[in-house]
Amino acid sequence: MAAAGAEAVVAEDEEKRLPEGDPESGGDSEDEGDSDSSGDGEDEEKENEAEIQRLEEQLSINAFDYNCHLDLIKLLRQEGELVKLRRARQKMSELFPLTEEIWLDWLKDEIKMASESSEREKVYELFERAVKDYICPEIWLEYAQYSIGGIGQEGGIERVRSIFERALTAVGLHVTKGTALWEAYREFENAILETAQPAPGSVPSPEQQQMLCTQLEKIHTLFRRQLGIPLLDMETSYAEYEEWSEDPIPETTIKNYKKALQQLEKCKPYEEALLGAETPKLAEYQAYIDFEMKAGDPARIQLIYERALAENCLVPDLWARYNQYLDRQLKVKELVLSAHDRAVRNCPWTVGLWIRYLLAMERHRVDHSSISEMFEKALNAGFIQATDYVEIWQAYLDYLRRRVDFTQDSSKELEELRSAFARAVEYLKQEVEERFSESGDPSCTIMQNWARVEARLCNNMQKARELWDNIMTKGNAKYANMWLEYYNLERAHGDTQHCRKALHRAVQCTSDYPEHVCEVLLTLERIEGTLEDWDAAVQKTENRLARVNEQRAKAAEKEAALAKLEEEKAEQRKQARAEKKASKKAKKARSGEKRKADDDDEGEWGQEEEEQPSKRHKGDGLLEEDMEVEMGLFGRSGPEKPDRPANQKEKATTSRKDIPKVLHDSSKDNVTVFVSNLSYNMAEPEVKLKELFESCGEVAEIRPVFSNKGTFRGYCYVEFKEEKSARQALGLDRQAVEGRPMFVSPCVDKNKHPDFKVFRYSTTLEKHKLFISGLPFSCTKEELEDVCKAHGNVKDIRLVTNRAGKPKGLAYVEYENEAQASQAVLKMDGLTVKEHVIKVMISNPPLRKLPDKAEAGRASQFAVPRQVYGARGKGRTQLSMVPRALQRQGNPVAKAENGMVQNSAAASSAPPEEPKKMSNADFAKMLLKKSAPLIEVVQNNLFCPQLCTSSFQALNCVRTQIPAVPRDPAG
């Protein structure tokens, strides 16, 4: 019956395929008149064939290209190329464990084509391979249901039961998906029970009665086993058992059922967390694993690990933890080796997994040929660092060393070990160094271990000395620790003469710590040497240390000379700046004298002058009153000039000067973002930025910051109505605005939080992200994506630019997983892009240098409030205009934000005393008598509009030593 059903399914499938390929079916008759549709189909078919050929060629070059395998299988399945499709799937399954979706598609295709018993056996073999890759309930259920189709064959029922039992062992404990398998198993046994029932009205024979009892007991047993396991919807299964069973449920079953319910309640939070979490769910799975570890049930721990790995098969750390648990706790050979095999097939670039696999194979007594074969696979896995090859070679050499019986003078295993040591040295020198430009073993650890084996285990000091001589010729002779390592080996297994010889060479060659080597040599001669040996050692060490001290003194003198040269250059630059400044002052003085002479010729200062636009005091948010000033720099009316572009720009910004500055309220930092690196030439920044930030939420206010001349300074504050809008606005960071990347960061007071930094990107090792350098500046993001997507799914590409938005020839490319990134490194490193050879490596930025806190603390002691010296603080050549008497340390000045003074709570509540104002006559009399410093007068009268004209005239007169005559305000 089952065979007939399978044949019917195959016949039905053939009927479905007939319209596509059988001309007798008439399937193509409807398309004969549609030539356009036929032409489009032919073009698409040709494109697919070309793409298939391209993918096959690419796989012939790099067989480990996972995405290329997927694309090829998809195209072949679309084209119906069954033979090529089967071959492609076979090749991929040999290299990688296949996912649940790939296996199910493959199995369904094979099931449709399997009609004869021999073909069914091949499908069974395919199912066996599928269930070994991952523990998937869906594949096990499909396997069991397919096996029911062969129930009519000899031993078919027992085969189905065996598959169901294996499925329950593998995934029967699955909290969310295990119920389906239990129910399918019970339905199968119920179907057999129905076939065993006697015909209506007949009396069953004793054999039939025995069969019925046995079958009923099987179903009872299945119910009881299921009710003792915490599974979702247990209550329904319990109610079904009550309804099915004619006898009352045993107390033991009820007790186990209640215990399972309690266990289910404990598991539910973790299952709900997994259902609500987003991929990859590593944190949720780890919490679940920790919970099961405390419970201590090995089957449940194994299952939750397998569930986590089915969704995160490319996470090496997860595989490492799982394999470690299996190695230390379960120790079942088949289970352990299967897990290790799947680990290295999923993450072949991780050397730690290969080393664990070799150790597990040795631990479980796997034959030597299999271990050697696995080691050869590891060498071809494509590690991403040169040191990885050193580690895998060392692990294999350790295994070979443990096989040798050193009580025998010579053996096959010993010769194999020596041959492997020689091959390892040659492999690192040629293969690894050619690929990574380094051997990965600069200290020659493999050769050192070889020398130790020869000296300690083989008693062959002559070979050990040859090896150490080779080590020293590879650039290690200048290091004291290398000589002392050789000396210790010679001391333990050699003789005093060779020890003395080694130390004498060390004294001569060591450059990092010669004192240490000299001390060891003297110690040796003090204990074992003769007087002649002692004298020779003392003379040699003294001469060597004298040369070393002389070299160090010369180096110190050279460094001091360089430092002195730098100081002289700095002094010359300082002197040049001083001379330049003096020449400017002299030029200004001469121009002042000339203007004064012209003014004497023209007449008195009491002439009528035109008004200048009002000026704004730097650091004050209030507008000053209009002041009457002369058109000239020091009171002389200048000739009228036509408007130039610069004058037009000043006119355009005059209206902006009339806008008062808005004080920043630090209490609104949570709803405010700081925007910087904007273009200075941005017209109407409020309008431009409001249009940009309104997409994040309602904008309350935009406060651009302007210079004293009214020009935009390239940064501003954007205040929102809601805090979530401000957080959303941070997503606009690095967005291009007028050709420059706009920086958007949280609004944080750097005075309160000096260590606050905002950096969006990771500064640690990211194995799924690549760093590419050497790109041409003209390379666009789209062009780079075209190059990178051939090696995997590209999630993000970031071209590194400077503050002006110009490319720096660097980029970061993020792939979906580490496997794709490692393959991209192998294929793209050294690639030529627009006549530029690029370098590609895994993203691992160097550590950032942190500022010295002590220096920062000293610098902060001398910090000056920004409202006194402007936004950038006091300049190097700027003089303090505040008298010492006014610099009161006990009265802190209110802090300023971008030139806007804030009201400080610490300020005195009493209003400051208003400075005494003076008339023009008093001002001139005071200057002539020189009764007070000029600067104090300017400060006391700086805000008096009537005196500003006289102040500038007086300043000019002081420079030219000509007494100033104040102008009468009345005219």
Side-chain angles (χ1 to χ4, degrees):
M1 182 187 302
E7 292 175 359
V9 171
V10 174
E12 182 181 354
D13 181 66
E14 291 294 337
E15 290 177 3
K16 291 180 180 178
R17 290 200 296 251
L18 275 177
E20 299 177 6
D22 191 351
E24 296 179 2
S25 65
D28 295 335
S29 59
E30 297 179 1
D31 296 335
E32 291 178 356
D34 193 352
S35 59
D36 294 338
S37 176
S38 176
D40 293 341
E42 291 178 359
D43 293 341
E44 183 179 357
E45 184 177 353
K46 290 180 180 179
E47 292 178 0
N48 290 340
E49 289 178 357
E51 182 65 14
I52 289 171
Q53 185 176 359
R54 186 190 69 81
L55 292 173
E56 289 176 344
E57 291 176 356
Q58 187 169 346
L59 286 175
S60 65
I61 299 173
N62 181 16
F64 288 90
D65 193 333
Y66 188 87
N67 292 301
C68 191
H69 282 286
L70 292 180
D71 295 339
L72 179 60
I73 291 173
K74 183 180 179 181
L75 272 177
L76 291 174
R77 194 163 190 253
Q78 179 181 341
E79 291 296 314
E81 297 283 349
L82 300 180
V83 177
K84 291 184 177 180
L85 177 60
R86 182 179 294 169
R87 191 185 304 121
R89 284 167 168 166
Q90 182 68 27
K91 288 183 179 179
M92 185 177 183
S93 66
E94 292 173 357
L95 297 174
F96 304 100
L98 304 185
T99 62
E100 178 183 339
E101 294 78 10
I102 298 176
W103 271 121
L104 288 175
D105 290 341
W106 189 359
L107 290 167
K108 290 176 181 178
D109 291 343
E110 295 293 341
I111 288 172
K112 291 177 182 178
M113 295 183 291
S115 58
E116 299 179 0
S117 59
S118 60
E119 294 177 344
R120 289 186 63 86
E121 288 300 323
K122 291 182 180 179
V123 176
Y124 280 123
E125 294 175 2
L126 201 60
F127 268 114
E128 288 295 330
R129 291 173 54 190
V131 296
K132 290 179 181 178
D133 277 355
Y134 299 105
I135 293 182
C136 299
E138 289 81 2
I139 294 180
W140 274 110
L141 186 59
E142 189 74 24
Y143 190 11
Q145 290 175 348
Y146 178 74
S147 65
I148 295 175
I151 196 174
Q153 300 176 356
E154 183 179 356
I157 294 178
E158 295 304 321
R159 186 173 197 170
V160 173
R161 283 175 177 161
S162 173
I163 292 173
F164 266 119
E165 287 295 334
R166 291 172 57 200
L168 292 180
T169 302
V171 293
L173 299 178
H174 200 296
V175 176
T176 57
K177 298 180 180 180
T179 305
L181 272 170
W182 287 100
E183 291 178 351
Y185 197 1
R186 286 203 319 271
E187 288 178 3
F188 168 72
E189 296 293 351
N190 277 319
I192 295 178
L193 179 64
E194 291 295 331
T195 59
Q197 291 287 350
S202 62
V203 178
S205 63
E207 293 80 6
Q208 290 178 333
Q209 191 69 30
Q210 181 67 26
M211 184 183 297
L212 286 174
C213 292
T214 304
Q215 192 63 27
L216 284 173
E217 185 60 29
K218 289 182 181 293
I219 300 174
H220 276 288
T221 303
L222 282 176
F223 267 117
R224 293 166 188 168
R225 289 169 60 190
Q226 180 183 358
L227 292 176
I229 300 173
L231 300 171
L232 288 182
D233 204 15
M234 291 184 62
E235 296 83 356
T236 304
S237 301
Y238 184 79
E240 184 180 347
Y241 186 30
E242 282 184 321
E243 181 181 355
W244 181 85
S245 177
E246 297 178 356
D247 301 327
I249 300 177
E251 289 295 328
T252 306
T253 304
I254 296 176
K255 183 179 179 181
N256 292 336
Y257 167 69
K258 291 182 178 179
K259 185 178 179 180
L261 275 178
Q262 295 176 357
Q263 181 71 14
L264 178 62
E265 291 300 320
K266 296 179 181 179
C267 295
K268 272 186 178 180
Y270 299 99
E271 294 290 345
E272 292 172 356
L274 288 175
L275 290 175
E278 297 181 356
T279 305
K281 308 179 184 179
L282 284 174
E284 290 77 14
Y285 272 118
Q286 188 59 50
Y288 206 166
I289 291 170
D290 295 339
F291 165 73
E292 294 292 356
M293 283 285 193
K294 293 178 181 178
D297 187 348
R300 299 190 63 82
I301 295 172
Q302 180 193 356
L303 178 63
I304 192 60
Y305 262 121
E306 291 287 352
R307 289 176 59 184
L309 289 168
E311 297 189 34
N312 302 278
C313 59
L314 298 178
V315 180
D317 292 340
L318 187 59
W319 281 108
R321 291 195 295 269
Y322 181 41
N323 291 336
Q324 180 178 336
Y325 170 77
L326 295 177
D327 289 333
R328 296 180 179 179
Q329 302 297 328
L330 295 186
K331 301 179 181 180
V332 180
K333 179 179 178 179
E334 292 75 13
L335 184 61
V336 170
L337 296 182
S338 173
H340 280 288
D341 183 69
R342 290 185 291 137
V344 297
R345 289 172 65 199
N346 276 285
C347 306
W349 64 89
T350 307
V351 67
L353 297 179
W354 287 100
I355 294 175
R356 288 176 182 271
Y357 194 6
L358 294 177
L359 291 173
M361 295 177 75
E362 181 184 3
R363 195 176 294 119
H364 291 283
R365 312 293 182 184
V366 178
D367 61 278
H368 174 62
S369 60
S370 298
I371 297 179
S372 298
E373 183 181 352
M374 191 56 60
F375 168 71
E376 295 298 332
K377 288 184 179 179
L379 285 182
N380 296 323
F383 300 130
I384 58 179
Q385 295 179 2
T387 54
D388 293 344
Y389 288 93
V390 180
E391 293 180 22
I392 193 65
W393 267 111
Q394 192 59 62
Y396 183 60
L397 293 169
D398 292 343
Y399 157 71
L400 294 178
R401 196 259 316 158
R402 289 189 285 265
R403 295 181 66 244
V404 179
D405 182 8
F406 290 100
T407 58
Q408 302 178 6
D409 294 337
S410 179
S411 64
K412 179 181 178 182
E413 289 79 8
L414 179 58
E415 294 304 320
E416 185 178 2
L417 174 62
R418 286 172 172 164
S419 176
F421 268 118
R423 183 189 169 200
V425 173
E426 191 68 19
Y427 186 90
L428 294 177
K429 180 180 179 181
Q430 293 184 356
E431 301 289 337
V432 178
E433 192 167 354
E434 180 181 351
R435 178 179 167 190
F436 295 96
S437 299
E438 59 169 328
S439 66
D441 191 16
S443 299
C444 301
T445 55
I446 288 181
M447 293 185 68
Q448 289 187 44
N449 291 331
W450 189 2
R452 294 188 188 101
V453 169
E454 294 289 352
R456 296 176 183 177
L457 302 177
C458 301
N459 298 320
N460 188 355
M461 274 304 299
Q462 183 62 32
K463 180 65 176 178
R465 292 181 185 118
E466 292 177 2
L467 290 171
W468 267 106
D469 186 67
N470 195 3
I471 291 173
M472 292 305 180
T473 59
K474 293 182 179 296
N476 294 302
K478 59 184 178 181
Y479 300 117
N481 65 321
M482 299 296 290
W483 283 108
L484 294 179
E485 186 71 29
Y486 173 42
Y487 166 75
N488 291 330
L489 185 68
E490 194 72 60
R491 186 75 171 161
H493 306 284
D495 52 55
T496 305
Q497 186 63 28
H498 284 91
C499 289
R500 182 177 291 111
K501 183 178 179 181
L503 289 178
H504 276 275
R505 290 179 59 194
V507 170
Q508 191 69 25
C509 301
T510 302
S511 60
D512 54 351
Y513 298 105
E515 296 88 352
H516 194 185
V517 176
C518 293
E519 182 181 353
V520 174
L521 175 60
L522 294 176
T523 303
L524 174 67
E525 301 299 355
R526 180 176 287 113
I527 296 174
E528 299 186 12
T530 63
L531 178 60
E532 290 78 6
D533 295 333
W534 172 261
D535 291 339
V538 170
Q539 182 179 358
K540 194 174 189 67
T541 55
E542 287 179 352
N543 293 338
R544 175 59 177 163
L545 293 179
R547 289 197 302 271
V548 169
N549 293 331
E550 182 180 354
Q551 293 173 358
R552 290 174 178 173
K554 289 182 179 179
E557 291 177 0
K558 185 177 181 180
E559 185 176 354
L562 291 175
K564 185 177 180 181
L565 182 62
E566 289 296 328
E567 291 179 0
E568 292 177 354
K569 290 182 179 179
E571 187 64 27
Q572 291 176 0
R573 290 193 295 268
K574 185 177 179 180
Q575 185 176 357
R577 286 195 297 269
E579 292 176 355
K580 186 177 180 180
K581 185 177 179 182
S583 64
K584 287 184 178 180
K585 286 184 178 180
K587 188 182 295 183
K588 289 182 179 179
R590 287 194 298 271
S591 62
E593 292 176 1
K594 183 178 180 180
R595 281 193 291 269
K596 183 64 180 76
D598 294 340
D599 290 341
D600 290 342
D601 294 338
E602 290 176 1
E604 298 296 332
W605 288 347
Q607 298 175 356
E608 293 293 332
E609 285 126 358
E610 299 178 0
E611 290 186 353
Q612 285 267 24
S614 62
K615 290 191 176 181
R616 182 171 53 193
H617 184 269
K618 184 176 184 180
D620 201 337
L622 303 176
L623 290 176
E624 300 178 8
E625 300 177 8
D626 291 340
M627 300 181 291
E628 293 182 358
V629 296
E630 284 77 1
M631 291 295 292
L633 181 61
F634 294 107
R636 181 176 59 85
S637 298
E640 295 185 359
K641 296 181 180 180
D643 285 344
R644 293 176 297 179
N647 297 334
Q648 294 174 4
K649 185 176 181 181
E650 291 179 4
K651 290 182 179 181
T653 57
T654 302
S655 59
R656 196 179 306 284
K657 295 182 182 181
D658 298 334
I659 302 176
K661 292 183 179 178
V662 181
L663 299 180
H664 174 62
D665 188 359
S666 60
S667 64
K668 295 183 179 180
D669 284 349
N670 60 328
V671 295
T672 307
V673 295
F674 179 68
V675 183
S676 60
N677 202 42
L678 298 171
S679 174
Y680 291 168
N681 300 325
M682 180 181 289
E684 300 295 335
E686 299 97 325
V687 179
K688 177 76 174 178
L689 295 177
K690 187 172 184 180
E691 295 176 356
L692 186 62
F693 284 95
E694 276 183 341
S695 60
C696 304
E698 186 177 358
V699 179
E701 185 181 12
I702 295 180
R703 299 189 296 275
V705 180
F706 298 94
S707 65
N708 291 335
K709 297 181 180 180
T711 56
F712 182 46
R713 299 188 64 179
Y715 60 92
C716 67
Y717 294 86
V718 180
E719 181 182 330
F720 292 91
K721 293 287 187 181
E722 299 178 354
E723 184 176 353
K724 65 178 182 180
S725 301
R727 291 196 298 267
Q728 187 177 352
L730 297 176
L732 299 178
D733 186 35
R734 309 281 173 166
Q735 180 171 331
V737 176
E738 295 190 0
R740 295 174 63 90
M742 174 181 66
F743 299 160
V744 183
S745 58
C747 189
V748 177
D749 188 354
K750 291 295 184 66
N751 295 323
K752 297 179 181 178
H753 306 281
D755 296 332
F756 178 80
K757 295 287 184 183
V758 177
F759 192 68
R760 296 176 54 188
Y761 308 105
S762 173
T763 57
T764 58
L765 174 65
E766 295 178 282
K767 294 186 178 180
H768 67 289
K769 185 181 290 186
L770 303 183
F771 173 68
I772 303 178
S773 60
L775 288 169
F777 292 161
S778 60
C779 182
T780 63
K781 184 176 181 180
E782 290 75 16
E783 292 173 343
L784 183 58
E785 184 176 5
D786 291 338
V787 176
C788 297
K789 69 182 181 181
H791 310 290
N793 294 330
V794 178
K795 293 180 63 177
D796 183 48
I797 293 180
R798 176 167 65 93
L799 295 177
V800 182
T801 61
N802 58 17
R803 297 180 67 89
K806 303 298 183 182
K808 300 175 70 175
L810 309 175
Y812 289 90
V813 180
E814 182 179 357
Y815 283 92
E816 281 190 347
N817 50 59
E818 299 177 21
Q820 297 177 5
S822 62
Q823 293 302 320
V825 171
L826 298 177
K827 297 296 295 180
M828 294 173 56
D829 189 29
L831 189 67
T832 301
V833 177
K834 293 186 177 180
E835 299 181 356
H836 286 69
V837 179
I838 63 174
K839 293 184 178 180
V840 184
M841 62 191 72
I842 298 296
S843 176
N844 188 15
L847 295 177
R848 288 172 168 250
K849 294 183 179 180
L850 299 177
D852 190 356
K853 293 185 177 180
E855 295 181 1
R858 288 195 298 270
S860 62
Q861 296 176 3
F862 303 99
V864 183
R866 290 173 62 183
Q867 68 269 22
V868 176
Y869 300 114
R872 296 188 179 182
K874 180 178 178 181
R876 196 182 324 181
T877 59
Q878 184 177 352
L879 299 177
S880 175
M881 303 298 289
V882 181
R884 293 173 183 170
L886 298 180
Q887 295 179 354
R888 298 172 184 172
Q889 310 244 342
N891 186 16
V893 185
K895 294 179 180 179
E897 287 286 345
N898 296 292
M900 299 179 286
V901 182
Q902 296 180 343
N903 295 329
S904 174
S908 176
S909 58
E913 183 179 354
E914 185 177 353
K916 181 179 179 181
K917 297 182 179 179
M918 304 172 63
S919 65
N920 287 357
D922 294 337
F923 183 76
K925 184 184 297 183
M926 183 273 302
L927 277 179
L928 294 175
K929 291 182 178 181
K930 299 182 180 179
S931 60
L934 174 63
I935 187 61
E936 185 173 353
V937 179
V938 173
Q939 284 187 331
N940 291 338
N941 297 275
L942 190 57
F943 293 101
C944 182
Q946 291 84 1
L947 294 181
C948 282
T949 301
S950 299
S951 301
F952 284 116
Q953 293 171 347
L955 284 170
N956 189 30
C957 293
V958 170
R959 289 193 180 94
T960 57
Q961 300 297 322
I962 299 176
V965 181
R967 178 173 62 86
D968 187 1

